[in-house]
Every structure is written in structure tokens, then in C-alpha cells.
Amino acid sequence: MKDRDTTQTAVAVSGDWLIVPGPLNEHRWRWGRIAEVLPEPGGTVRYRVRWIGDVHDSVVVPPEGARVEKAADWPDPAGDAIGVWPG
């Protein structure tokens, strides 16, 4: 398996995935396809994201523990992408 940069500070581009962990021990993570990167003048990065199972976009600042996965590594997440944590 190749090494991937999956840290929160990874440079995301449109089409990548934002993966946000759920509550501890519940194994519920949210996967959202990044539609747009929205940089702020102060350096905070926001993403316009379409979450799996949702028909609307959300603008989010990645919370602690979130990671970015490259679209090339995950063209489609498995199942409903709940409880899946790429390693």
C-alpha cells in the first residue's frame, strides 16, 4: 500500500474527500466530497462539501481529527461510508 498524506493540513482540491470522525467508539464517520476550497484571508481553510446521503452542500471548517483523502485513492467510498475509516 502506498503512503498517503491524510493529515488535516493536506492540500485539498475539488473532488477530494473530507472525512470527519464521529463520537468516540461509535464508528460513524462522515464522508463529504469537496466541491470547492474556500480560503480565508486569515489562513483558515473552509470547504464547500456535499456529504454522502445529503442533497445540499455545506460550508465547513475541518474539525479536529478530520482528514483529507485524495479522490484518486477513493473514487467511491464503500457502502454508505458510515463506519469506514481508510487506513
Side-chain angles (χ1 to χ4, degrees):
M1 175 182 240
K2 69 179 184 172
D3 290 330
R4 290 178 282 158
D5 183 2
T6 56
T7 63
Q8 181 176 346
T9 58
V11 176
V13 297
S14 181
D16 287 347
W17 293 98
L18 178 64
I19 305 167
V20 178
L24 186 63
N25 298 324
E26 287 191 19
H27 301 290
R28 294 181 50 193
W29 297 283
R30 293 189 75 192
W31 285 64
R33 180 76 78 174
I34 296 171
E36 185 177 4
V37 178
L38 305 165
E40 288 286 313
T44 302
V45 176
R46 299 177 304 148
Y47 301 117
R48 187 168 55 85
V49 173
R50 170 80 44 102
W51 300 107
I52 288 183
D54 200 344
V55 296
H56 303 287
D57 290 351
S58 301
V59 174
V60 297
V61 173
E64 184 176 333
R67 30 195 286 188
V68 171
E69 290 284 344
K70 295 299 178 188
D73 294 334
W74 292 91
D76 292 304
D80 62 359
I82 300 298
V84 177
W85 190 255

